[in-house]
């Protein structure tokens, strides 16, 4: 009974505090496909950062990455940066590099094989997208992918880049 | 009633969630799953609540889990039948910067050495895997060296932490694009008179312009078994992966040889290692109907996967894999006193052609699988058609057909699945999934079974999702990253609700 009461209290706590529109994005240090380690904080202050969690076995992720590649190509000259963080585990991580190479993706692909970064961002299902401003604050997040989701993402990117 | 109250609280939370700000450094998430089975008149409530706090180099957090009741499958509930408690808590501190730093975790944690050949401690809620260790973990980065040391205990099937696991992993990334690694992991059973089991491995990885290679070799030692077998070690594993990529074409080849290489707790209910399984994961329902479970004790096989991006609109994928059991002179067969010869356990072929244009998307897929555990052969054609009505509305239709042959009885049966889905970005999706199974238990006697459900999914603001399912569903498997969870037949309602707050 006490435990249930504690649980309800927790949920009460949840309902009092909530989404901070200027919440700090958890930092991460992950390996890229060249074997170098990339840390989020080294990229802050340069422009908006699009972070997408994906996996090779996830079909909507494939569709979304194709669209994000176009968005990245369109805005990279305006300092948009993108990290596609693969949550593929040891069973499918061998497919990541061939998949990225054969699709000619230009954005940075990072490997989160221990899923620590996915846990820090509370990612339960992929794809999951976060948009971070140059101060390192999460300004938008979205779980799943449906065609048309990219319109909202692009609007947020334009807003951060102060474009019309 | 309490469950309805809980749901209402969560719904209010997201509504207020857009107004009130969280204190700096605090983040939290909640995942709720509730189902009621009409046929069995059984309800299941599962909830995971995470609360984390970070300040500069310090982090702490906990996970409060509620299962009232839990899934009846003991492999899933792991002794937590009627359970609500803080099951995961940690303190983490990091000293130093990228090239030279030490990270320490006290409490519960996850970790992997290499590609999981020796150690894979992880959580995947979708397939209900959680073998977290409770203890201490050190990670040291010093120039080109990365070192990990762990000591801890995982929960067995009675939710008790008894055996002690210790591990050490060292990786050197100094010579051009070459990585070298060494790992050792040892399980000390709760009963001190039982000898520990220890795995050792060495690995290397090399990346070049058009190819990369990863190879790991491991051995297993247990002094009691070594004495019995009169051998220097009692298990062996090899995993190798070679990838080539030239322009729009890529090929990935993998090889596995796992001989008596599982590392488990003494009671056998905790798996500490999950080597690469070399199986293909599918997002279609019927292609996961005859899954193949990894057995790190008795497998040898390969898998080849190719991708060819014909042009911006067309893509071709082909996968082929085979897995055999080991020869009779293997450690596993000697230990289990088996004299059986090597036999084919799995043959898996899948080919897929994708075409996407501005107004529609089309996928044709075809799968063939021979699986020895269920002794079935199956042929599965799949067709998916997406019509993009406008910028934000999509209609999706998926037709799947499967013919399965039970090899021992020569029985044939057929499954057909139809999925219709309307997706409206970014807010909701509404889908209907219907399935028909056709069997012929006797000549000229055809038996058909039907299942069907409707699912509604809605994104509430940026930070939460809700989905409601009503209807019946055939038993099947959820497979993620090669690990599958069997879901029994279900008829009723199911509610899922996720919220994340930073």
């Amino acid at each position: 009974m006490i435990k249930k009461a504690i649980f309800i209290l927790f949920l009460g706590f949840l309902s009092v505090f909530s989404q901070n529109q200027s919440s700090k994005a958890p930092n991460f240090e992950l390996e890229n496909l060249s074997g170098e380690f990339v840390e989020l904080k080294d990229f802050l202050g340069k422009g908006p950062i699009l972070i997408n969690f994906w996996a090779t076995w996830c079909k909507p992720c494939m569709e979304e990455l194709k669209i994000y590649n176009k968005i990245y190509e369109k805005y990279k000259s305006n300092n948009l940066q993108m990290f596609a963080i693969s949550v593929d585990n040891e069973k499918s991580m061998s497919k990541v590099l061939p998949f990225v190479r054969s699709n000619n993706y230009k954005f940075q692909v990072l490997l989160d094989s221990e899923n620590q970064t996915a846990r820090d961002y509370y990612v339960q299902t992929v794809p999951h997208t976060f948009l971070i401003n140059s101060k390192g604050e999460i300004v938008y997040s979205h779980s799943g992918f449906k065609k048309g989701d990219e319109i909202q993402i692009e609007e947020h990117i334009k807003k951060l880049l102060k474009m019309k | 009633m309490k469950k309805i109250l809980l749901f209402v609280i969560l719904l209010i939370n997201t509504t207020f969630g857009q107004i009130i700000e969280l204190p700096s450094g605090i983040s939290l998430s909640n995942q709720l799953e509730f189902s009621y089975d009409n046929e069995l008149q059984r309800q299941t409530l599962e909830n995971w609540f995470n609360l984390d706090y970070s300040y500069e180099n310090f982090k702490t957090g906990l996970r409060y889990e509620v299962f009232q009741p839990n899934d009846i499958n003991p492999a899933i509930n792991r002794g937590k039948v009627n359970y609500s408690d803080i099951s995961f808590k940690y303190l983490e501190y990091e000293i130093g910067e990228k090239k030279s730093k030490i990270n320490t975790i006290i409490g519960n944690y996850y970790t992997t050495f290499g590609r999981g050949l020796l150690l894979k401690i992880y959580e995947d809620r979708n397939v209900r895997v959680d073998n977290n260790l409770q203890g201490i973990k050190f990670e040291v980065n010093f120039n080109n060296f990365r070192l990990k040391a762990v000591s801890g205990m995982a929960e067995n099937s009675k939710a008790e932490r008894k055996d002690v696991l210790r591990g050490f992993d060292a990786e050197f990334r100094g010579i051009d694009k070459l990585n070298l690694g060494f790992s050792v992991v040892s399980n000390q059973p709760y009963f001190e008179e039982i000898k520990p089991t220890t795995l050792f491995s060495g690995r290397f990885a090399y990346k070049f312009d058009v190819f990369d290679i990863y190879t790991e070799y491991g051995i297993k030692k247990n002094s009691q078994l070594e004495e019995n077998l009169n051998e220097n070690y009692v298990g062996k594993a090899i995993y190798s992966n070679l990838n080539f990529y030239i322009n729009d074409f890529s090929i990935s080849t993998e090889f596995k040889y796992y001989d008596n290489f599982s590392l488990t707790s003494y009671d056998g209910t905790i798996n500490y290692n999950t080597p690469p399984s070399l199986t293909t994961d599918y997002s279609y329902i019927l292609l996961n109907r005859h899954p193949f479970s990894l057995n790190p004790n008795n497998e040898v096989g390969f898998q080849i996967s190719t991708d060819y991006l014909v042009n911006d609109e067309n893509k071709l994928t082909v996968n082929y894999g085979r897995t055999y059991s080991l020869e009779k002179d293997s450690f596993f067969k000697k230990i289990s006193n088996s004299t059986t010869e090597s036999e084919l356990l799995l043959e898996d072929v899948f080919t897929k052609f994708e075409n996407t244009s501005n107004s529609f998307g089309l996928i044709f897929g075809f799968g063939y699988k021979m699986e020895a555990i269920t002794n079935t052969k199956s042929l599965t054609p799949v067709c998916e058609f997406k019509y993009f009505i406008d910028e934000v509305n999509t209609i999706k239709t998926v037709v799947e057909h499967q013919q399965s042959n039970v090899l021992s009885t020569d029985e044939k049966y057929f499954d057909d699945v139809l999925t219709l889905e309307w997706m409206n970005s970014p807010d909701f999706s509404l889908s209907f999934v219907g399935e028909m199974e056709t069997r012929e238990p006797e000549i000229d006697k055809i038996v058909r079974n039907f299942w069907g459900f409707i699912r509604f999914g809605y994104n509430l603001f940026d930070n939460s999702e809700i989905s409601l399912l009503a209807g019946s569903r055939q038993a099947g498997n959820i497979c993620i990253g090669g690990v599958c969870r069997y879901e029994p037949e279900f008829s009723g309602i199911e509610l899922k609700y996720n919220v994340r707050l930073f």
Side-chain angles (χ1 to χ4, degrees):
Chain A
M1 187 61 205
I2 292 169
K3 284 176 181 173
K4 282 182 188 170
I6 293 169
F7 178 59
I8 298 296
L9 273 176
F10 267 132
L11 294 173
F13 175 82
L14 198 80
S15 62
V16 174
F17 297 106
S18 201
Q19 174 135 343
N20 182 346
Q21 291 299 323
S22 59
S23 50
K24 203 84 180 160
N27 188 38
F28 55 77
E29 189 198 350
L30 295 168
E31 188 181 350
N32 67 15
L33 295 179
S34 308
E36 293 147 0
F37 283 89
V38 171
E39 194 166 358
L40 175 66
K41 66 181 182 187
D42 294 341
F43 291 82
L44 299 179
K46 295 173 184 170
I49 303 172
L50 186 61
I51 296 177
N52 177 250
F53 289 88
W54 68 285
T56 54
W57 43 261
C58 156
K59 210 149 55 72
C61 301
M62 307 293 102
E63 294 168 37
E64 191 177 47
L65 284 178
K66 205 169 166 181
I67 290 170
Y68 282 174
N69 194 45
K70 287 179 187 163
I71 291 177
Y72 175 69
E73 292 273 26
K74 193 171 167 185
Y75 295 105
K76 69 177 179 188
S77 57
N78 300 95
N79 289 332
L80 172 72
Q81 297 162 90
M82 180 175 166
F83 297 117
I85 301 178
S86 157
V87 297
D88 281 274
N89 61 17
E90 76 293 336
K91 293 175 186 67
S92 52
M93 70 186 296
S94 63
K95 317 276 189 296
V96 176
L97 189 51
F99 170 76
V100 172
R101 288 289 188 98
S102 65
N103 283 282
N104 295 320
Y105 290 147
K106 306 296 181 202
F107 43 74
Q108 284 240 41
V109 175
L110 307 178
L111 303 170
D112 184 26
S113 53
E114 291 197 11
N115 285 2
Q116 184 54 54
T117 305
R119 268 195 299 279
D120 289 345
Y121 281 79
Y122 300 131
V123 172
Q124 276 305 322
T125 53
V126 286
H128 202 125
T129 299
F130 294 87
L131 187 63
I132 293 170
N133 67 16
S134 53
K135 291 179 196 162
E137 297 160 347
I138 297 170
V139 293
Y140 176 77
S141 74
H142 185 82
S143 177
F145 176 73
K146 298 185 274 290
K147 192 174 180 328
D149 289 355
E150 70 276 12
I151 297 170
Q152 270 206 332
I153 288 277
E154 204 170 342
E155 275 171 15
H156 279 90
I157 290 170
K158 280 183 182 174
K159 210 167 140 189
L160 290 176
L161 293 170
K162 297 189 171 77
M163 294 168 82
K164 282 187 181 175
Chain B
M1 188 62 200
K2 280 176 189 168
K3 277 145 198 166
I4 293 167
L5 178 70
L6 190 128
F7 175 65
V8 170
I9 291 170
L10 287 168
L11 204 62
I12 292 167
N13 150 58
T14 28
T15 312
F16 281 104
Q18 301 301 302
I19 304 164
I20 304 163
E21 292 187 355
L22 269 184
S24 173
I26 289 182
S27 57
L28 48 89
S29 74
N30 195 77
Q31 182 179 347
L32 172 83
E33 294 192 7
F34 171 77
S35 64
Y36 180 76
D37 192 310
N38 291 331
E39 301 283 316
L40 303 171
Q41 295 196 330
R42 189 179 64 220
Q43 59 182 24
T44 304
L45 172 78
E46 297 162 292
N47 196 90
W48 297 263
F49 174 80
N50 280 79
L51 175 67
D52 295 278
Y53 172 73
S54 66
Y55 178 74
E56 294 184 349
N57 292 345
F58 173 75
K59 266 173 81 176
T60 186
L62 57 86
R63 184 168 67 231
Y64 187 78
E65 294 181 349
V66 179
F67 304 109
Q68 292 192 342
N70 203 338
D71 195 297
I72 51 165
N73 182 351
I76 293 171
N77 67 48
R78 301 191 71 79
K80 297 176 176 178
V81 179
N82 267 302
Y83 177 89
S84 58
D85 209 345
I86 295 169
S87 61
F88 190 96
K89 48 196 175 291
Y90 70 95
L91 291 166
E92 183 177 351
Y93 191 70
E94 197 166 277
I95 310 167
E97 284 296 316
K98 206 188 298 183
K99 284 276 176 184
S100 170
K101 71 177 180 189
I102 300 172
N103 181 290
T104 308
I105 298 177
I106 296 170
N108 302 80
Y109 59 86
Y110 301 101
T111 192
T112 303
F113 289 176
R115 291 199 183 172
L117 199 69
L118 262 64
L119 188 67
K120 173 82 178 168
I121 302 296
Y122 72 114
E123 186 207 13
D124 193 326
R125 240 168 256 173
N126 296 301
V127 284
R128 298 292 189 274
V129 173
D130 185 359
N131 60 349
N132 73 73
L133 290 174
Q134 192 173 70
I136 189 160
K137 174 173 128 175
F138 288 109
E139 276 191 65
V140 179
N141 294 356
F142 185 69
N143 292 328
N144 297 321
F145 287 95
R146 294 195 151 234
L147 310 172
K148 281 185 202 173
V150 298
S151 176
M153 294 184 281
E155 271 183 353
N156 64 14
S157 63
K158 293 176 183 165
E160 299 166 331
R161 295 178 192 265
K162 286 189 158 183
D163 291 10
V164 179
L165 188 91
R166 294 185 184 92
F168 175 79
D169 181 74
E171 195 169 85
F172 176 66
R173 295 165 172 261
I175 312 163
D176 196 21
K177 289 173 177 175
L178 178 73
N179 293 347
L180 298 169
F182 168 79
S183 307
V184 55
V185 178
S186 183
N187 179 58
Q188 174 61 58
Y190 175 68
F191 306 103
E192 282 188 5
E193 63 274 19
I194 309 291
K195 298 287 182 199
T197 301
T198 308
L199 304 184
F200 297 88
S201 83
R203 63 180 186 268
F204 84 94
Y206 184 73
K207 284 190 171 77
F208 195 65
D209 278 353
V210 293
F211 76 88
D212 66 273
I213 185 166
Y214 176 98
T215 295
E216 189 166 359
Y217 175 82
I219 57 165
K220 181 179 189 175
K221 288 188 71 65
N222 177 291
S223 55
Q224 275 165 338
L225 273 177
E226 281 163 24
E227 253 179 58
N228 296 346
L229 291 177
N230 197 22
E231 298 273 5
N232 292 324
Y233 51 94
V234 292
K236 189 168 85 173
I238 302 166
Y239 168 75
S240 192
N241 167 221
L242 178 66
N243 298 323
F244 279 101
Y245 13 81
I246 302 162
N247 301 325
D248 302 325
F249 177 76
S250 72
I251 182 163
S252 170
T253 59
E254 290 175 279
F255 171 78
K256 63 179 173 182
Y257 181 90
Y258 306 143
D259 182 3
N260 192 37
F261 209 71
S262 72
L263 182 66
T264 64
S265 56
Y266 181 65
D267 64 7
T269 63
I270 309 164
N271 292 315
Y272 298 119
N273 65 340
T274 46
S277 62
L278 279 62
T279 51
T280 308
D281 302 306
Y282 300 105
S283 47
Y284 296 107
I285 296 167
L286 293 181
L287 285 165
N288 283 325
R289 256 318 133 71
H290 305 284
F292 179 75
S293 299
L294 169 75
N295 180 357
N297 287 324
N298 185 22
E299 279 185 7
V300 56
F302 67 90
Q303 190 181 44
I304 300 168
S305 311
T306 60
D307 273 309
Y308 178 50
L309 192 68
V310 182
N311 52 42
D312 276 355
E313 292 186 350
N314 298 294
K315 189 180 169 188
L316 183 67
T317 304
V318 179
N319 296 330
Y320 182 69
R322 274 184 167 223
T323 294
Y324 295 86
S325 61
L326 297 173
E327 297 289 348
K328 58 186 173 190
D329 60 348
S330 62
F331 291 113
F332 177 74
K333 297 265 169 97
K334 281 185 206 166
I335 290 165
S336 50
N337 288 321
S338 168
T339 52
T340 54
E341 299 287 346
S342 171
E343 58 177 349
L344 183 65
L345 298 175
L346 173 75
E347 184 174 25
D348 192 6
V349 186
F350 181 65
T351 179
K352 185 172 73 171
F353 175 75
E354 292 171 67
N355 174 279
T356 312
S357 69
N358 288 333
S359 53
F360 68 88
L362 191 59
I363 297 175
F364 286 112
F366 182 80
Y368 163 82
K369 189 181 268 187
M370 194 297 290
E371 207 274 302
I373 306 293
T374 53
N375 209 15
T376 50
K377 254 184 194 178
S378 59
L379 295 169
T380 315
V382 175
C383 179
E384 177 180 319
F385 179 74
K386 269 185 188 171
Y387 177 62
F388 309 123
I389 301 168
D390 55 35
E391 281 187 323
V392 293
N393 287 291
T394 304
I395 296 285
K396 184 171 95 171
T397 309
V398 183
V399 180
E400 302 173 52
H401 173 78
Q402 186 169 67
Q403 177 188 319
S404 302
N405 289 28
V406 181
L407 298 173
S408 50
T409 59
D410 217 25
E411 183 199 356
K412 277 185 192 170
Y413 59 95
F414 305 90
D415 278 289
D416 293 278
V417 172
L418 172 71
T419 305
L420 296 170
E421 189 171 11
W422 170 33
M423 292 177 275
N424 175 276
S425 169
D427 298 324
F428 69 87
S429 66
L430 179 66
S431 58
F432 165 78
V433 179
E435 178 170 353
M436 177 178 75
E437 182 192 63
T438 309
R439 286 183 183 257
E440 194 176 355
E442 294 164 30
I443 294 167
D444 294 334
K445 187 187 175 192
I446 291 173
V447 179
R448 287 199 170 91
N449 293 307
F450 296 90
W451 297 267
F453 64 84
I454 291 171
R455 180 165 47 204
F456 178 70
Y458 193 82
N459 283 6
L460 289 158
F461 312 110
D462 285 359
N463 64 338
S464 51
E465 303 87 40
I466 188 165
S467 90
L468 185 64
L469 178 150
S472 62
R473 187 172 57 202
Q474 157 76 305
N477 291 279
I478 299 171
C479 295
I480 293 172
V483 178
C484 298
R485 174 168 75 108
Y486 177 75
E487 278 210 326
E489 190 174 343
F490 173 79
S491 174
I493 56 160
E494 186 183 83
L495 171 77
K496 293 183 180 180
Y497 181 69
N498 293 340
V499 59
R500 297 165 304 282
L501 309 167
F502 289 95

